[in-house]
Amino acid sequence: MPHFTTAWTVMFEHAAGTTPTPAPAALDALGADLNHPSGLLCTVSTLDGGLTIPGDSDSTACAMLAARITGRNVPDSTHLDTLYDPSQGCYRTFLFEHDTSTTTNIHVAAVLALDGRHDRLTEVLRWLTRAVSEGRTLCKWHLSPTYPHGELARITAAIDHPLAAALCTEAVETLLATQNPDGGWGLHGSTTEETAYAVHGLATAARSHAHAYASKTTDALGAAHTHLTTQPPRQTPLWLGKTLYSLRPLVPVLRRTATTHAEQMLSSVASGPPGGRGPALGACGGRGMDGGLVLRAAAFDVESGTSPSGTG
């Protein structure tokens, strides 16, 4: 899955504050396929291949985030709207999908926040809030509950919206409660991949909401750092296709970036008292996801789901 691996490598390297390492050719191919006539990106490159595999909203949203981080041109997020289900207030991953994916909507929420689509973002955050309250947090593509909770914490920590703040708190508390005694995370024993998702979620929350999470997460991140640096990486099959599989190129990236992210947060805590809230998710170009337009909570009427501009 070249595009999937490229996009995720960029996202998690950016989360850790490191320079994205994918080859320029891979990033150029991803950017070109983002402009597919369907408006949706296929997980594998369609360039010169004649592939007719349909694209999906999750891969497209992650690719849009990666393209922004690396300064590529990004299509408007309205291209995703062909998969929006107004009756549910969420995005389907592909046409005719019956059971909507939590992680798809987490990643789409990040794109909506960056594009300033306030009303649509509120609808998706409301759907995620219902899903979490009803215990529907498992990802249909992945065995582990740590993956959706880690991503929920990582993404919502950077969105300045009251519903996002509540979702972030729920995700952080769940991650802290499910850490294994060896410092890692894993449903059936700690794995490199699951531990990395948890670390990125907790570290992003601690950076963006230091007053609320820094003290809570310090011990957990310290134990996780020890686990990641003393245990050999495990290529555990956690992804669901026709059979279980592991994204082998991604696991070393997750281990490296999570280790760096944990070190940054632990160093920040050791150097002095935590500061205030970090930058919120806003529009950005080559500056990365922390730059540009900031979405303020005051811009939302949570009950009506509208912003003062009435845009969505």
Side-chain angles (χ1 to χ4, degrees):
M1 295 184 175
H3 284 338
F4 185 92
T5 303
T6 298
W8 276 45
T9 297
V10 171
M11 285 197 306
F12 287 106
E13 287 180 329
H14 181 72
T18 59
T19 303
T21 58
L27 292 168
D28 290 343
L30 182 145
D33 273 356
L34 267 175
N35 291 286
H36 190 275
S38 69
L40 298 170
L41 179 90
C42 178
T43 53
V44 295
S45 177
T46 62
L47 297 178
D48 302 321
L51 294 177
T52 57
I53 301 172
D56 68 84
S57 58
D58 195 11
S59 299
T60 304
C62 291
M64 286 177 169
L65 295 172
R68 288 176 184 270
I69 291 166
T70 57
R72 264 70 179 176
N73 290 327
V74 182
D76 190 275
S77 62
T78 57
H79 287 216
L80 297 168
D81 289 353
T82 55
L83 293 175
Y84 179 70
D85 181 354
S87 68
Q88 298 293 322
C90 64
Y91 284 78
R92 300 193 181 279
T93 310
F94 49 83
L95 289 174
F96 312 119
E97 181 183 42
H98 292 292
D99 50 336
T100 313
S101 166
T102 303
T103 47
T104 291
N105 283 276
I106 292 170
H107 294 139
V108 171
V111 177
L112 295 173
L114 286 168
D115 278 2
R117 299 183 63 191
H118 306 148
D119 297 350
R120 182 59 57 83
L121 172 64
T122 297
E123 292 172 5
V124 171
L125 292 175
R126 281 177 170 168
W127 182 87
L128 286 168
T129 299
R130 290 195 300 272
V132 169
S133 67
E134 295 168 4
R136 295 184 288 112
T137 52
L138 281 176
C139 175
K140 62 197 288 183
W141 318 115
H142 201 279
L143 282 183
S144 175
T146 304
Y147 164 53
H149 283 104
E151 284 298 86
L152 187 63
R154 184 178 72 85
I155 295 297
T156 57
I159 299 176
D160 197 354
H161 187 292
L163 292 176
L167 285 166
C168 185
T169 296
E170 176 71 24
V172 167
E173 296 295 341
T174 298
L175 291 171
L176 292 174
T178 53
Q179 187 172 24
N180 292 330
D182 64 1
W185 276 264
L187 192 59
H188 300 291
S190 298
T191 69
T192 303
E193 185 178 343
E194 290 166 279
T195 300
Y197 293 136
V199 166
H200 279 300
L202 292 175
T204 303
R207 183 182 70 240
S208 297
H209 304 270
H211 62 285
Y213 301 127
S215 61
K216 290 184 179 181
T217 59
T218 299
D219 289 346
L221 289 172
H225 181 269
T226 299
H227 177 83
L228 287 169
T229 54
T230 59
Q231 299 298 317
R234 292 176 55 189
Q235 293 281 356
T236 310
L238 295 170
W239 290 87
L240 293 162
K242 288 188 175 181
T243 185
L244 289 173
Y245 64 96
S246 171
L247 287 172
R248 292 184 177 275
L250 188 61
V251 172
V253 173
L254 286 168
R255 182 173 186 255
R256 170 171 49 82
T257 56
T259 300
T260 300
H261 208 169
E263 288 171 352
Q264 291 172 350
M265 291 312 305
L266 294 169
S267 175
S268 175
V269 170
S271 64
R277 192 188 192 286
L281 196 61
C284 64
R287 292 174 294 173
M289 291 167 61
D290 291 338
L293 176 67
V294 174
L295 303 180
R296 294 298 177 193
F300 296 87
D301 180 335
V302 178
E303 292 302 317
S304 67
T306 60
S307 64
S309 65
T311 59

